[in-house]
Amino acid sequence: MIEQKQFDVVFIGAGPGGYVAAIRAAQLGLKVAVIEKDKVGGTCLHRGCIPTKALLRSAEIYRNAKEGSEFGINIDNITLNFTQVQNRKQQVVDQLKKGIEFLFKKNKVTLIEGYGRIENSGSDSNKVVRVETADGEKVVSTKKVIIATGSKPKTLPGLEIDGKYIITSDEALEMEELPKSMIIVGGGVIGMEWASLLNDFGVEVTVVEFLPRILPLEDSDVSKDITRTMKKRKVKIHTGTMVLPETIKIVDGRVELEAKKGEKMLQLSAEKVLVSVGRVAMIDNIGLENTKVEVEKGVIKVNEFFQTTDSNIYAIGDVIGGLQLAHVASHEGIVAVEHIAGKNPKPFNYLTVSKCTFTHPEVASVGLTEDEAKEKGYEVKVGKFQFRGIGKALVHGEVDGFIKLVVDQKTNTLLGAHMVGPHVTDMISEAGLAKVLEATAMDIAHTIHPHPTLAEAIMEAALDVDNEAIHA
Ligand code: FAD
């Protein structure tokens, strides 16, 4: 059966890009449909942000229970019930999925469950999307299409994902039991979050990173510090090391492989290999050949309002590359629909986007690293404060890490903030606000931070910019 409906905006994909922007579009009075082939919430809710953080939370509780004696809490016979860990993760995911479905109903967003593909409508102003649903095909007409199809895990040439021994984060999230050992190929955000949580669960973890440092997009001081703490926790880290896919063998239920570190060959072996070497945009088979949309380096090309080269088609989120983060996808979507609704939105300033890595200790940053600021020609001043000087960090028993602020010497404005330590993912938004408001280090230093809190470290780092930190 072919059913034809007319909308103002049709989204392909209900991840944090598509679903958030659909709600915003409906709030703006537009008639909105969202096409989703799988489940509302996308990668973020089902294979990304939320399930990994649910596992990380269980891992944290397990670690805390084991370390309880330091706090005077002796717990005998601590055991891990990984089935319950997975069940709880799923309950959180299911509850949030229901929440999105409720919000769609509340905002009168039409959800069409099926696979969407843009058709050749023969007109620039009227777009047509064909949807394969379980009950047959539907055709929707719309003034605007927003492509929010997201991304999928990438692998290395020759490194075949078999779903059993060699897996991506997608399969790792579905593991029914934990392996005793895991090699993680790729020391970026996803790889390091898995390294941290598996280590907390007692898995022997080896990280192999091709670049000279893990978390290579973070400030180099942050990479150094997180390497140190991870190594202290017995995570093995090989940087500047290339896995040789042709050497991979399965021997007696274990994966064996060779990796090249300079002139040295490393022989590595583990029960499983987790490949986390980045993600590729989902641009295949969505009908781009029926449009004027251009693709560059594997991602959809857009302008500052996320309009593609086919002006009635927009693209947001992971499918346009750049910072592949849920909150980025959502905000790109909001800018796109506000542009469609004629609201004149401000273009997105990526330098104000906070990035978080939920390792233990956590990592968070916003703006330029010290090296980037220097490369851009700034003369910089740096303020740094270690968590070990903060009372609340000592109370928590979490003293690893620091706050580093990079400031423009001429204007004293904040260029970047870099944090590694307890709960820094919850603290980075203060620096994000400072970036948006173009605050100076003194604005931050003169903001009275309550005592005893971890955020006092931000105030001390701001004071340290002019060597005025009190507890240094
Ligand atoms: P997606 O979330 O990928 O959603 C795209 C949706 O489109 C999917 O539901 C898909 O089924 C649907 N779709 C695709 N093609 C079609 C089609 N033809 N028809 C219909 N539907 C279609 N980001 C953070 O900010 N914080 C984190 O802590 C974080 N952790 C992560 C952990 C992991 C392990 C991973 C993999 C990612 C993580 N991310 C995190 C990244 C985050 O998940 C993505 O940046 C975000 O989901 C991108 O949103 P999106 O809407 O662009 O795409």
Side-chain angles (χ1 to χ4, degrees), residues 357-376:
T357 307
F358 295 81
T359 38
H360 169 65
E362 295 180 343
V363 170
S365 65
V366 62
L368 300 174
T369 65
E370 185 178 352
D371 289 343
E372 285 167 348
K374 286 177 179 162
E375 274 160 30
K376 283 189 182 295

Side-chain angles (χ1 to χ4, degrees), residues 12-18 35-39 42-44 47-49 52-53 114-116 148-151 169 190 279 282 286 317-318 324-327 329 358:
I12 308 180
I35 301 164
E36 172 54 58
K37 70 176 170 64
D38 190 4
K39 290 180 231 158
T43 302
C44 172
R47 292 174 300 281
C49 329
T52 51
K53 272 72 218 176
Y115 190 98
T149 47
S151 64
S169 162
I190 294 175
R279 299 185 57 88
M282 299 265 271
I286 54 169
D318 281 9
Q324 291 183 316
L325 294 169
H327 43 294
F358 295 81

Side-chain angles (χ1 to χ4, degrees), residues 11-19 34-53 112-117 130-131 147-153 169-170 173 189-191 193-194 279 282 284-286 316-320 323-330 332 354 356-358:
F11 290 83
I12 308 180
Y19 97 73
V34 179
I35 301 164
E36 172 54 58
K37 70 176 170 64
D38 190 4
K39 290 180 231 158
V40 295
T43 302
C44 172
L45 179 51
H46 301 282
R47 292 174 300 281
C49 329
I50 298 296
T52 51
K53 272 72 218 176
I112 306 173
E113 289 174 309
Y115 190 98
R117 202 175 280 112
R130 187 173 291 268
V131 193
I147 302 171
T149 47
S151 64
K152 59 181 179 196
S169 162
D170 286 0
L173 278 166
V189 176
I190 294 175
E193 286 187 357
W194 275 105
R279 299 185 57 88
M282 299 265 271
D284 292 338
N285 211 12
I286 54 169
I316 56 168
D318 281 9
V319 79
I320 63 165
L323 283 179
Q324 291 183 316
L325 294 169
H327 43 294
V328 170
S330 303
E332 288 171 346
S354 300
C356 298
T357 307
F358 295 81

Side-chain angles (χ1 to χ4, degrees), residues 47-61:
R47 292 174 300 281
C49 329
I50 298 296
T52 51
K53 272 72 218 176
L55 295 187
L56 275 153
R57 175 72 177 134
S58 287
E60 179 186 25
I61 290 178

Side-chain angles (χ1 to χ4, degrees), residues 297-347:
K297 294 185 183 152
V299 298
I300 296 179
K301 197 172 147 187
V302 289
N303 68 13
E304 58 188 349
F305 300 111
F306 307 103
Q307 217 166 5
T308 68
T309 39
D310 196 324
S311 61
N312 288 315
I313 303 180
Y314 289 65
I316 56 168
D318 281 9
V319 79
I320 63 165
L323 283 179
Q324 291 183 316
L325 294 169
H327 43 294
V328 170
S330 303
H331 280 266
E332 288 171 346
I334 288 170
V335 171
V337 294
E338 291 189 348
H339 189 248
I340 289 170
K343 287 270 164 204
N344 223 359
K346 268 205 226 150

